[in-house]
Amino acid sequence: MTPVTRIVIVGGGPGGYEAALVAAQLGAEVTVVEREGVGGAAVLTDCVPSKTLIATAEVMTNFADSHQELGIYVDDGTPGTLDRPIVGVDLDVVNKRVLELAQAQSVDIANGLRRAGVEVLRAAGRLDGPRRVVATFDDGTEQSVDADAILISTGATPRVLPGAEPDGERILDWKQVYALTELPRELIVVGSGVTGAEFAGAYQALGSKVTLVSSRDRVLPGEDSDAAEVLEGVFKRRGMRVMSRSRAESVERLGDSVIVRLQDGQTLEGSHCLMAVGAVPNTADMGLEQAGVFLKDSGHVRVDRVSRTTASGVYAAGDCTGVFALASVAAMQGRIAMYHMLGDAVSPLDLKAVASNVFTDPEIATCGYSQAAIDAGEIDAHTVKLPLSRNPRAKMQGIHDGFVKLFCRPGTGIVVGGVVVAPRASELIHAVSLAVDLHLTVDQISSAFTVYPSLSGSLAEAARRLHRRDRA
């Protein structure tokens, strides 16, 4: 067998740049073809920018929710206003910081690739058969790059509904919001999945009046139902209007306003509308099918658990595969592809070990099997759920919403999943992720020391509660 020594990666997002670093480390000659900038949408227009915006919103929410309870006040010198905090945001400043951080992260990643010896071409890539990539630069010139193996990691782009096309000013997709210089007065968010919920919560915290339009029974229909119920309650308590079982039919701009028409005949008026109705893979007009790569009806690339496509020597990773729209999964798929390409030891992708997080306030983090899977009989497991309101650290910090939930197998007590709803749940879920990945038991978790007082103490307590139930 001829060794793989020349690898071309189309797409410089997490799946692409992580793959490039692994391939370079293993001695391959690597070229990355990326049109918009290293880091891809995750760094430039999605994960990094949105979580930076959310970080500002989180500061606002924490102060608004707990300043009186914790004894903090703001005195603007006006008599009788100590109970009214004088706090606001300058969205122009916020968004400039967001974009500067995203660009800085992109530059850091690009420099890391170059230090590793990876060639980066700022161009659009398409396949010319399974062993060649054609890079088209902005000036129209082309460069062909031959390869022993190719990785497709081109990501996805916001889905556009007919009759609700974004104009970049009043009707926006999640890539365009960072061009806003003033806070939307009344924001209508169409779509209650992860992206919609995150932006709805963030803009409400920043000071916008928000209406969230959900076509399903609740927000976050794909997440743990208990967690979604907590979040929806928090949204409503903070003043958000949540419209369930409401499907948007069209969005029209009228001067400085937008009109959202729903299928049931209702109309909503606001100053801006954010469309968060999913994404479509960037796989069109890339020569994939001509190279033997099978595309699903949705346009996603079909891959196996080591990232292989149906074309020999062509692999794919990230959102263009539709496996799991997370930067961490894209990166893992990319790394796995390189290990397999280059003959290194490789473990196939295990989606049951994936930890994910919704960056709302409170955050919702999950790992392993879900409550829905347990309820459906896909796996037999015991469950313990503890509200954070009982946790001493939560009381000290004025945290009233949230919980921890652990799932373990009967008999063995092996942890198979969990849910954390809390501030910084994205950090707390790591303990659950380790337990799932290493097949730890609830007894092993409960016997490990936790700091007192700490939110992580609730995870240990949940494990202790499962100590006897795991014998049933």
Side-chain angles (χ1 to χ4, degrees), residues 12-14 34 36-37 39-49 155-156 174-175 282:
E34 166 56 45
E36 296 182 358
V43 170
L44 295 170
T45 58
D46 191 359
C47 294
V48 171
W174 38 262
K175 284 188 173 184
N282 296 322

Side-chain angles (χ1 to χ4, degrees), residues 13 15 18 27 97 104 134 138 144 206 231 254 289 350 379 403 456-457:
E18 288 285 350
R97 175 176 182 266
V134 177
D138 288 343
S144 293
L206 293 174
L231 183 65
L254 295 175
E289 291 176 298
D350 181 9
I379 187 173
F403 62 82
S456 60

Side-chain angles (χ1 to χ4, degrees), residues 87 260-261 283 303 355 413:
V87 180
V260 178
R261 292 182 173 83
T283 55
V303 293

Side-chain angles (χ1 to χ4, degrees), residues 44-330:
L44 295 170
T45 58
D46 191 359
C47 294
V48 171
S50 65
K51 278 47 175 182
T52 306
L53 177 74
I54 289 167
T56 299
E58 188 178 77
V59 174
M60 298 285 291
T61 301
N62 289 344
F63 187 80
D65 280 1
S66 61
H67 73 281
Q68 290 180 324
E69 181 178 349
L70 299 184
I72 300 170
Y73 67 85
V74 175
D75 184 0
D76 70 340
T78 304
T81 62
L82 295 186
D83 62 338
R84 300 205 313 262
I86 311 301
V87 180
V89 297
D90 184 331
L91 192 63
D92 190 28
V93 174
V94 171
N95 279 340
K96 284 179 180 177
R97 175 176 182 266
V98 164
L99 296 177
E100 286 172 0
L101 286 175
Q103 189 59 45
Q105 181 69 7
S106 176
V107 171
D108 286 346
I109 296 170
N111 289 338
L113 289 177
R114 293 188 178 95
R115 285 194 298 270
V118 175
E119 180 185 25
V120 179
L121 301 180
R122 185 70 177 267
R126 72 177 190 276
L127 270 63
D128 182 13
R131 293 291 183 272
R132 178 176 296 141
V133 170
V134 177
T136 303
F137 298 89
D138 288 343
D139 62 3
T141 60
E142 293 185 345
Q143 177 181 337
S144 293
V145 186
D146 292 328
D148 298 313
I150 296 171
L151 174 70
I152 305 300
S153 183
T154 48
T157 197
R159 187 162 72 97
V160 176
L161 293 182
E165 292 82 2
D167 64 8
E169 295 179 354
R170 295 284 170 174
I171 306 172
L172 308 158
D173 64 33
W174 38 262
K175 284 188 173 184
Q176 298 170 332
V177 293
Y178 309 108
L180 292 174
T181 57
E182 295 182 356
L183 192 67
R185 185 182 70 260
E186 294 180 90
L187 177 65
I188 301 170
V189 179
V190 177
S192 63
V194 173
T195 300
E198 288 183 346
F199 277 113
Y203 278 102
Q204 182 189 47
L206 293 174
S208 296
K209 181 179 179 182
V210 176
T211 298
L212 179 60
V213 178
S214 172
S215 63
R216 309 289 285 276
D217 291 339
R218 57 177 172 83
V219 301
L220 296 175
E223 299 296 323
D224 181 88
S225 60
D226 291 336
E229 183 179 352
V230 169
L231 183 65
E232 186 165 334
V234 170
F235 278 173
K236 291 178 177 178
R237 190 180 71 228
R238 291 173 179 165
M240 186 185 299
R241 182 185 183 189
V242 180
M243 301 187 65
S244 302
R245 296 182 294 278
S246 301
R247 188 177 294 275
E249 190 171 67
S250 66
V251 183
E252 180 184 4
R253 177 176 177 177
L254 295 175
D256 291 339
S257 299
V258 294
I259 302 295
V260 178
R261 292 182 173 83
L262 306 181
Q263 286 187 349
D264 62 5
Q266 293 187 75
T267 60
L268 306 173
E269 184 174 355
S271 63
H272 297 75
C273 178
L274 171 61
M275 300 299 297
V277 289
V280 294
N282 296 322
T283 55
D285 302 320
M286 286 188 57
L288 296 179
E289 291 176 298
Q290 293 86 342
V293 176
F294 179 84
L295 299 181
K296 302 176 185 178
D297 291 341
S298 61
H300 292 98
V301 180
R302 188 173 72 187
V303 293
D304 63 14
R305 291 177 62 202
V306 292
S307 305
R308 288 178 297 190
T309 73
T310 52
S312 177
V314 180
Y315 293 67
D319 289 4
C320 68
T321 68
V323 170
F324 212 143
L326 292 172
S328 57
V329 173

